[in-house]
Amino acid sequence: MRKSLPQRIALNMAGVIGALLFGFPTYWLFTTALKTPGEVLSPRYDLIPLSITFENFATALAKPGFTTFLTNSLIVTLGAVLTALIAGVLAAVPLARMKFRGRKGFLFLVLIAQLAPIEALLIPLYLLMRDAGLLNQLPSLLFVYMALTLPFTCWMLYGFVNGIPIELEEAAMIDGCGRWEAFRRVTLPLLGPGLVATSVFSFITAWNEFLFALVLMRDQDKQTIPVWLSTFRTAFAVDWGGIMAASVLYAVPALIFFLIVQRKLVSGLTAGAVKG
């Protein structure tokens, strides 16, 4: 139904206001990173920096451990996303395509696991990894991040697989494909947008995780970049300019990952909404 001019103006204004509200913290973060230390600590709130400096970025890059922490974060985050996607697909396809006893109960457990607060898992995981001798090892942190993102990945991919008509696979099998080949040639390409959308949310979850990296990784060279951000705050002062610049640098890999997959992200967000 075509909207009237006042309705379109009201909707556009609401969209602009919403964009400003959500975008202002990012703008404030970036502009503060470009301010001098005197401007950052000034009681005045200047929306536009009076003088632009890259001193805060130089300070952040010169801080010990940036390259190491960034590398650790990339390894554990990308590894966790990849392994969670593989395990999620292997779980979602049988759940969506096969009927077996306990299927609904398993889906319910997956949902409960997603709803559980991750802080409740910290002590059990720490004790388990301590007894197994897995503390202070990057593969262990990768496994933890995979376990944290797997319930969400499995639940999301279940909806996407369920939205792909099973008749397409059946037609491929009638033409001579086996079940695996029909999945590889038909379902998996159609599942691409869903994999992209799921990977974005899993990447953000693992990339922003702080608590497990702080507790499970004792050596400084094994920690991740969210822990590195906390080093800008000491018992005597807080380097606000450095924190803002470091936060901008911290967001760059996530932004690059999003730009790489953004073409399929919108279609992926809606691909599992309606069953074909």
Side-chain angles (χ1 to χ4, degrees), residues 126-181:
Y126 177 84
L127 296 176
L128 178 65
M129 295 176 67
R130 183 198 62 184
D131 295 340
L134 297 176
L135 289 177
N136 206 35
Q137 298 182 29
L138 283 181
S140 303
L141 189 62
L142 188 154
F143 171 78
V144 170
Y145 286 177
M146 187 271 287
L148 293 179
T149 57
L150 184 57
F152 170 81
T153 302
C154 181
W155 185 262
M156 288 286 291
L157 291 178
Y158 166 76
F160 289 120
V161 175
N162 210 30
I164 300 174
I166 194 174
E167 290 81 9
L168 296 176
E169 290 184 24
E170 293 173 347
M173 286 189 284
I174 291 174
D175 290 338
C177 292
R179 182 174 292 275
W180 164 249
E181 192 175 4

Side-chain angles (χ1 to χ4, degrees), residues 39-141:
E39 270 191 274
V40 172
L41 299 176
S42 173
R44 293 171 43 186
Y45 295 94
D46 297 317
L47 294 178
I48 300 176
L50 300 178
S51 57
I52 295 178
T53 178
F54 293 95
E55 178 183 350
N56 295 320
F57 289 95
T59 301
L61 290 172
K63 198 169 183 65
F66 172 71
T67 304
T68 302
F69 288 5
L70 178 61
T71 304
N72 293 341
S73 288
L74 289 173
I75 291 173
V76 297
T77 301
L78 294 177
V81 171
L82 180 60
T83 53
L85 285 178
I86 295 173
V89 169
L90 294 177
V93 172
L95 288 172
R97 292 291 189 248
M98 302 178 184
K99 307 296 181 183
F100 54 89
R101 181 173 297 180
R103 172 174 164 271
K104 292 184 178 180
F106 181 80
L107 286 171
F108 179 74
L109 289 177
V110 170
L111 183 61
I112 292 298
Q114 177 62 29
L115 296 176
I118 61 174
E119 291 80 6
L121 304 175
L122 179 60
I123 295 178
L125 273 175
Y126 177 84
L127 296 176
L128 178 65
M129 295 176 67
R130 183 198 62 184
D131 295 340
L134 297 176
L135 289 177
N136 206 35
Q137 298 182 29
L138 283 181
S140 303
L141 189 62

